[in-house]
Amino acid sequence: MSKVGKQISENKTYLQREDYYKNLVRKITAEKEKIKLGGGIKAIEKHKSKGKLTARERIAKLIDNEKDFYELSTFAAFGMYEEYGGAPSSGTIYGIGKINGRNFVIVANDATVKAGAWFPITAKKNLRAQEIAMNNRLPIIYLVDSAGVFLPLQDEIFPDKEHFGRVFRNNAVMSSMGIPQISAIMGPCVAGGAYLPIMSDEALIVEGEGSVFLAGSHLVRAAIGEVIDNESLGGAKVQSNISGVTDYIEKNDLECIDRIRNLSNKFSESTKAGFNRIESKPPLFPTKEIYGILPEDPIKTYDTYELIARIVDGSEIDEYKAGYGKTIITAYARIDGWAVGIVANQRNIVKTESGEMQVGGVIYSDSADKAARFIMNCNQRKIPLLFLQDVTGFMVGSRAEHGGIIKDGAKMVNAVANSVVPKITIIIGNSFGAGNYAMCGKAYDPRFIFAYPNAKIAVMGGSQASSVLLDIKLKQVEKSGKVFSEAEKKKLLDEIITSYDGASNPLYAAARLWIDEIIDPTLTREYVSMAIEVANNNPEMPKFNLGVIQT
């Protein structure tokens, strides 16, 4: 193995970058803290006045160590549904935490946000939680406290394949796969939402607060004229002792949580995938130096080897084809003891053996060819893949086209698409165009996909896209005979740039679940290690087959 990285001098550029990135992390952290208040202080006080724990308190009591909970999709619905007062974290919290030393997916409705009602993105978030459980064969726990579908948006959540009903379909599929599911009814559980806990293996209900029915008392009266209160209709004693729908009655949230811990402590251990792991070693260089390596402007270059040196164990890698296809780095390494295959965009301008200078962050034919071969090797040897994305796309122009860039790019995309080992993607900076696909964007089923706070996700860079959009807009207007002055053109361009940059921001992506979480770069090792540990829980791996591929 060879050492990578060098001691960094804290020069002006380093200090400027460090300050910029620390400020970005502070802003993201501040937004997270706001989101964690859910519906706000008053809503929390009202919730707790009923003797109930908040969703976050329930999770904290359930898991072994609150600090080890990896919350995902925290920013779901960020900036969305403002006309309805917003939906912080989409009214649902989920993540991965250990209960009795074993990893679980935990999903909890936040009843302080619109009584835990489901918005369209809430359904998508719950489906992602179930997808993670299925892909990694993780047991899942639902802490249910929800008023059901948010009716003003029912047409966007009810009938389609990726809508509300898919959740119950997944309940059934997970059951057939042998994935344990436990539900705790800790508040209302209404209409179609009643199927989620009852399609779980076991259902607990909290006396006095939990209720489950297909139609509440108001709807029952409107539909059939029967006058009845919710507790008599579908409260804890009714559903446990009369209907037999629920399995355990608990006096309060704490007793309910204790019961879940007791039940889950008796699950049998599953067979592991057997990914290679040895004793962990820290990198030779402090991870905090990542702040000073990454540029403020994503267009600027930096040496990706320096980033890798602060992520991998001992700052050691076995680089594959080091002298070939230099705009992508392919290397075997270890992170927290786990063996990984790294595919990373090199952001420095590099020089080929023929003396040609290649632009950093661009995928050339030789880079694509190398990456495809490396991905095949990792699949052959059952080594998880880590993609470090900072890509502006594939090389364009006559030379690239005549050299077969589309064919070589397709080869890489094919290898990524058909890869069967766990894939973990981190968007470091740019994630543009087909480069997003080739470097395992969300459409290519990474087990987890994270982003740094300065990530940009778009079809192309802001300056290029804005120029194209401005040209289209001007041509549209010119048809009506109007002519823009230079000042008007500049104003229009500025508006386009602002809008485009906003839509390529990581918060925009996180709100729509294009990424699983925005992470602090200094915690990269922890997130990668967690992801591989979780993936190791699924021993099933299909045979690797590329199908038809042009060579």
Side-chain angles (χ1 to χ4, degrees), residues 279-295:
E279 187 177 348
S280 175
K281 292 193 300 184
L284 294 179
F285 309 99
T287 55
K288 67 178 184 179
E289 290 182 351
I290 295 174
Y291 292 149
I293 291 168
L294 300 174

Side-chain angles (χ1 to χ4, degrees), residues 298 302 347 389-391 427-431 452 454-457:
Y302 62 92
R347 282 306 311 274
Q389 268 200 32
D390 197 344
V391 57
I427 302 173
I428 306 296
N430 301 309
S431 180
Y452 284 178
N454 208 27
K456 300 284 183 187
I457 305 167

Side-chain angles (χ1 to χ4, degrees), residues 190-191 213-223 226 228-230 233:
V190 186
F213 32 65
L214 293 181
S217 56
H218 291 295
L219 187 53
V220 166
R221 184 172 184 176
E226 182 182 0
I228 190 170
D229 62 75
N230 283 339
L233 180 66

Side-chain angles (χ1 to χ4, degrees), residues 168-317:
F168 319 135
R169 174 264 186 194
N170 286 353
N171 286 137
V173 170
M174 281 192 281
S175 183
S176 72
M177 293 168 69
I179 297 172
Q181 300 174 82
I182 292 179
S183 285
I185 302 166
M186 309 175 93
C189 189
V190 186
Y195 286 105
L196 185 148
I198 309 310
M199 292 188 73
S200 299
D201 301 334
E202 293 184 284
L204 302 80
I205 188 166
V206 176
E207 191 172 1
E209 289 299 332
S211 57
V212 56
F213 32 65
L214 293 181
S217 56
H218 291 295
L219 187 53
V220 166
R221 184 172 184 176
I224 63 173
E226 182 182 0
V227 179
I228 190 170
D229 62 75
N230 283 339
E231 189 65 25
S232 302
L233 180 66
K237 287 184 179 178
V238 169
Q239 295 292 25
S240 295
N241 301 339
I242 298 175
S243 71
V245 167
T246 52
D247 306 305
Y248 305 89
I249 299 177
E250 307 300 340
K251 290 181 181 178
N252 53 46
D253 283 5
L254 287 175
E255 280 197 9
C256 188
I257 289 165
D258 283 342
R259 177 84 70 175
I260 295 170
R261 285 185 59 86
N262 287 337
L263 292 171
S264 61
N265 194 31
K266 297 170 180 65
F267 293 174
S268 63
E269 274 294 329
S270 60
T271 306
K272 304 299 181 187
F275 299 126
N276 186 292
R277 191 182 197 185
I278 61 173
E279 187 177 348
S280 175
K281 292 193 300 184
L284 294 179
F285 309 99
T287 55
K288 67 178 184 179
E289 290 182 351
I290 295 174
Y291 292 149
I293 291 168
L294 300 174
E296 319 92 286
D297 186 342
I299 294 174
K300 292 181 180 177
T301 61
Y302 62 92
D303 190 350
T304 306
Y305 286 105
E306 296 300 333
L307 172 64
I308 292 171
R310 285 149 184 86
I311 294 174
V312 302
D313 289 12
S315 302
E316 295 176 324
I317 62 173

Side-chain angles (χ1 to χ4, degrees), residues 185 318 383:
I185 302 166
D318 286 309
I383 300 173

Side-chain angles (χ1 to χ4, degrees), residues 96 112 163 169 187 227 336 381 417 487 517-518 536:
I96 294 168
T112 70
H163 285 176
R169 174 264 186 194
V227 179
D336 195 26
R381 300 166 192 175
E517 193 69 0
I518 301 172
N536 195 44

Side-chain angles (χ1 to χ4, degrees), residues 337-499:
W338 293 104
V340 295
I342 296 174
V343 181
N345 300 112
Q346 169 60 296
R347 282 306 311 274
N348 253 350
I349 295 172
V350 299
K351 187 176 182 180
T352 67
E353 295 301 316
S354 64
E356 177 193 0
M357 303 302 288
Q358 293 186 339
V359 180
V362 176
I363 302 175
Y364 291 77
S365 283
D366 53 358
S367 303
D369 175 67
K370 177 176 79 169
R373 289 166 181 254
F374 181 74
I375 290 165
M376 291 183 227
N377 284 348
C378 288
N379 276 272
Q380 181 81 358
R381 300 166 192 175
K382 282 183 64 174
I383 300 173
L385 283 159
L386 172 62
F387 291 85
L388 299 177
Q389 268 200 32
D390 197 344
V391 57
T392 53
F394 285 88
M395 191 58 191
V396 297
S398 60
R399 184 173 178 180
E401 296 293 354
H402 297 172
I405 186 66
I406 296 175
K407 178 182 66 178
D408 291 316
K411 188 189 304 181
M412 182 177 175
V413 169
N414 190 312
V416 172
N418 286 298
S419 179
V420 296
V421 295
K423 297 171 287 191
I424 301 142
T425 301
I426 302 178
I427 302 173
I428 306 296
N430 301 309
S431 180
F432 295 158
N436 171 283
Y437 306 154
M439 291 295 293
C440 197
K442 185 68 182 289
Y444 288 77
D445 297 322
R447 293 288 179 95
F448 295 92
I449 179 167
F450 306 115
Y452 284 178
N454 208 27
K456 300 284 183 187
I457 305 167
V459 169
M460 62 181 77
S463 59
Q464 301 97 315
S466 300
S467 177
V468 172
L469 290 168
L470 177 64
D471 188 52
I472 292 169
K473 183 71 175 177
L474 292 175
K475 285 179 179 176
Q476 288 173 340
V477 173
E478 284 170 3
K479 289 178 181 178
S480 64
K482 179 176 172 62
V483 178
F484 277 105
S485 67
E486 290 304 314
E488 287 173 322
K489 286 181 184 179
K490 185 180 183 308
K491 183 183 177 184
L492 184 58
L493 180 61
D494 290 342
E495 289 172 355
I496 291 170
I497 290 172
T498 300
S499 175

